[in-house]
């Protein structure tokens, strides 16, 4: 990105208003500071727009579907309109089905339950656990971590060429890594999958908050994401895509809402006729506020314009990467190399520091919230860290088992609501911690590194 483009991104596209932007936190060294939330990859703060929309609807909250009262009718319309809004945001096909779930993890577990018999699943070891682990009951082929986007496509093509061409198959792939932020070649992987008679599901948990996601253009069969990554933290997620496997599968949960007709049999049992629509997998009282909040976030991001949002985020990415590059002790983790396009997610290690200790110092001494550990992507982080030494400081890695080598990293992540000042404070804090060391003592408590009192 050129200097002029970066300047334009900074002046034309301001951060979107989010909750918590004025929250102050205490420092162990004394005083308070405005909290710098740089852990968007775990949960993004709620957009102010989302919060306001939910607050305006809350007095009218009512039961969804089949209620005769005004509030029930209004809530039902709101719920189904939210489904249409999210489908438009994802540019779904006209015959696609959109199911509201609890999260990306829930969405992919639902799809795993809907797999046809004897389905073979192909998944890279680089996936988040949400997309790595749900397929345990299927025939799973785990693919080694690629080192270039082209290698990813080639690895998948070779694996698919060796499969039984007559059985069903599914490829699961992330759109943007929750560890490195790197964008994956989704369209090319989808083409490879379809060329070999397989389907593909896209884990868009880290992609949808940062870039537009078009089911049509990417040519994926399903897409899954979470509301809490998309500035809508009210416990809802989405699975959208082909209806046939979902309609043929038993309901994800059995209960009211999923059933169309229930009758007693003469032998004392019951017969059930299940819905074939999205309701088939939405048993129980739907999370109306969760669905509405996702739709609100989709509208807010669309209205803000992804071109502007991406341009500004690229400026922030460039500033963080340039700042970290100035510190020789810092090594940024990457699969595809420095030039790979990415979203605002960057993981790194610091020579001479245990990552848990470093993250704790950023929080306690600078009011900066980042994440440390293996980021629910253990195989990928272990591959990226390899045998790099991790100095065992005052605090150990929370995910290191007894007797296991301490392997963990630090992750900084940001997005549409991140002010420039938070990024600048982070870069300066990294530089200062590396050059001058922590100003406080730390200890391990319940597996976490905390300031000693």
């Amino acid at each position: 990105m050129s200097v002029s483009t970066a300047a334009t991104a900074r002046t034309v596209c301001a951060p979107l208003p989010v909750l918590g932007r004025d929250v102050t936190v205490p420092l162990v060294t004394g005083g308070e500071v405005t909290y710098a939330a740089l852990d968007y990859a775990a949960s993004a703060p709620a957009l102010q727009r989302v919060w306001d929309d939910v607050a305006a609807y809350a007095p009218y909250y009512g039961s969804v579907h089949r209620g005769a009262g005004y509030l029930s009718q209004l809530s039902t319309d709101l719920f189904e309109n939210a489904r249409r809004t999210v489908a438009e945001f994802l540019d779904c096909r006209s015959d696609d089905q959109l199911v509201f779930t609890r999260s990306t993890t829930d969405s992919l577990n639902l799809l795993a339950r809907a797999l046809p018999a004897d389905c073979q699943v192909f998944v890279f070891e680089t996936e988040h656990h949400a997309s790595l682990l749900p397929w345990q009951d299927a025939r799973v082929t785990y693919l080694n971590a690629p080192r270039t986007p082209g290698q990813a496509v080639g690895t998948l093509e070779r694996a698919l060429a060796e499969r039984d061409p007559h059985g069903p198959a599914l490829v699961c792939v992330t759109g943007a890594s929750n560890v490195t932020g790197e964008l994956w070649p989704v369209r090319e992987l989808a083409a490879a999958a379809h060329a070999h008679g397989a389907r593909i599901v896209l884990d868009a948990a880290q992609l949808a908050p940062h870039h537009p996601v078009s089911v049509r253009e990417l040519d994926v069969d399903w897409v899954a994401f979470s509301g809490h990554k998309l500035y809508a933290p009210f416990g809802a997620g989405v699975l959208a895509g082909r209806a046939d496997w979902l309609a043929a599968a038993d309901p994800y949960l059995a209960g009211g809402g999923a059933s169309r007709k229930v009758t007693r049999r003469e032998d004392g049992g019951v017969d059930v006729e299940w819905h074939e629509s999205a309701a088939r997998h939405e048993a129980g009282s739907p999370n109306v506020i969760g669905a509405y909040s996702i739709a609100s976030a989709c509208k807010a991001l669309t209205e803000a314009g992804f071109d502007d949002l991406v341009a500004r985020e690229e400026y922030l990415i460039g500033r963080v990467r340039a700042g970290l590059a100035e510190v020789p002790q810092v090594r940024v983790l990457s699969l595809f190399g420095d030039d790979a396009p990415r979203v605002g997610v960057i993981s790194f290690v610091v020579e001479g520091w245990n990552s848990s200790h470093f993250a704790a110092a950023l929080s306690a001494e600078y009011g900066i919230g980042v994440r440390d550990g293996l980021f629910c992507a253990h195989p990928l982080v272990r591959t990226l860290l390899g045998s790099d030494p991790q100095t065992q400081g005052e605090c150990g890695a929370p995910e290191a088992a007894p007797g296991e080598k301490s392997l963990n990293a630090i992750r900084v992540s940001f997005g549409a609501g991140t002010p420039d000042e938070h990024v600048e404070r982070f870069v300066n804090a990294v530089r200062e911690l590396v050059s001058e060391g922590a100003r406080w003592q730390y200890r391990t408590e319940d597996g976490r590194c905390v300031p000693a009192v």
Side-chain angles (χ1 to χ4, degrees):
M1 176 183 248
S2 68
V3 174
S4 60
T5 304
T8 300
R10 295 179 68 184
T11 56
V12 172
C13 182
L16 295 183
V18 294
L19 293 185
R21 57 190 180 274
D22 298 322
V23 167
T24 59
V25 295
L27 302 179
V28 293
T29 51
E32 293 186 341
V33 68
T34 302
Y35 184 65
L38 296 178
D39 193 16
Y40 276 47
S43 283
L47 285 174
Q48 185 68 54
R49 156 78 174 272
V50 170
W51 191 263
D52 292 344
D53 283 350
V54 167
Y57 161 65
Y60 300 92
Y61 173 78
S63 62
V64 174
H65 300 143
R66 297 171 301 282
Y70 177 81
L71 296 191
S72 179
Q73 293 290 311
L74 186 148
S75 295
T76 297
D77 287 345
L78 181 143
F79 184 69
E80 294 303 332
N81 283 332
R83 196 189 308 275
R84 287 187 284 273
T85 296
V86 179
E88 291 174 3
F89 178 77
L90 295 172
D91 191 25
C92 289
R93 297 163 291 251
S94 60
D95 56 348
D96 281 341
Q97 195 170 90
L98 191 145
V99 180
F100 283 115
T101 66
R102 293 177 294 180
S103 60
T104 309
T105 302
D106 197 39
S107 295
L108 294 174
N109 275 271
L110 189 167
L111 184 60
R113 287 273 298 274
L115 295 180
D118 203 32
C119 185
Q120 188 170 3
V121 177
F122 297 83
V123 57
F124 286 94
E125 67 172 348
T126 46
E127 293 291 310
H128 185 282
H129 294 172
S131 47
L132 184 73
L133 301 180
W135 323 106
Q136 300 298 308
D137 293 334
R139 292 188 297 145
V140 188
T141 298
Y142 295 104
L143 307 175
N144 292 334
R147 288 297 182 169
T148 66
Q151 189 179 93
V153 176
T155 297
L156 178 62
E157 286 179 331
R158 287 189 293 274
L160 290 172
E162 296 173 359
R163 81 175 187 92
D164 178 0
H166 302 293
L170 177 71
V171 176
C172 180
V173 66
T174 189
S177 171
N178 77 301
V179 176
T180 67
E182 293 164 317
L183 298 177
W184 277 62
V186 176
R187 186 181 291 102
E188 292 81 1
L189 291 168
H194 294 152
H196 290 85
R199 296 190 180 190
I200 186 168
V201 56
L202 169 64
D203 175 354
Q206 299 296 340
L207 182 63
H210 304 274
H211 285 260
V213 174
S214 169
V215 169
R216 295 174 194 263
E217 290 185 10
L218 295 175
D219 197 21
V220 294
D221 297 281
W222 292 277
V223 60
F225 71 89
S226 296
H228 73 101
K229 311 282 191 189
L230 197 78
Y231 311 98
F234 291 93
V238 168
L239 176 67
R242 306 289 182 190
D244 54 350
W245 285 9
L246 298 177
D250 289 338
Y252 186 44
L253 297 173
S259 56
R260 175 184 294 165
K261 181 180 180 182
V262 181
T263 57
R264 287 293 301 273
R265 297 195 304 263
E266 290 185 1
D267 63 6
V270 296
D271 287 323
V272 184
E273 181 182 333
W274 303 106
H275 282 292
E276 293 186 0
S277 65
R280 184 183 189 88
H281 298 291
E282 293 177 343
S285 296
N287 182 357
V288 186
I289 288 180
Y292 182 46
S293 69
I294 291 178
S296 173
C298 290
K299 289 180 180 178
L301 293 173
T302 300
E303 291 168 7
F306 269 108
D307 287 346
D308 287 343
L309 294 175
V310 169
R312 183 173 185 278
E313 185 171 307
E314 286 179 350
Y315 162 75
L316 296 178
I317 293 169
R319 183 66 194 96
V320 171
R321 288 177 58 82
L324 294 179
E326 294 171 356
V327 184
Q329 295 86 346
V330 169
R331 180 171 76 88
V332 173
L333 305 182
S334 175
L335 270 176
F336 300 154
D338 290 343
D339 296 331
R342 65 194 71 226
V343 299
V345 179
I346 299 169
S347 296
F348 62 98
V349 292
V350 183
E351 182 182 346
W353 284 80
N354 179 276
S355 295
S356 297
H357 185 195
F358 199 88
L362 284 173
S363 175
E365 300 178 28
Y366 297 91
I368 299 171
V370 297
R371 183 147 299 226
D372 65 277
L374 300 176
F375 317 128
C376 290
H378 294 191
L380 171 56
V381 180
R382 292 180 186 282
T383 294
L384 295 173
L385 292 177
S387 59
D388 279 7
Q390 287 274 307
T391 301
Q392 191 76 24
E394 290 88 342
C395 297
E399 288 154 331
E404 183 183 41
K405 188 178 185 297
S406 175
L407 288 177
N408 60 332
I410 306 152
R411 184 182 70 191
V412 57
S413 53
F414 40 88
T418 304
D420 291 14
E421 186 275 328
H422 290 184
V423 165
E424 295 299 331
R425 195 197 316 170
F426 166 76
V427 169
N428 292 334
V430 170
R431 185 184 298 114
E432 190 170 292
L433 277 174
V434 172
S435 62
E436 300 178 16
R439 292 171 286 173
W440 206 261
Q441 294 296 312
Y442 296 82
R443 60 185 174 85
T444 301
E445 180 179 292
D446 296 329
R448 296 298 310 169
C449 188
V450 297
V453 294

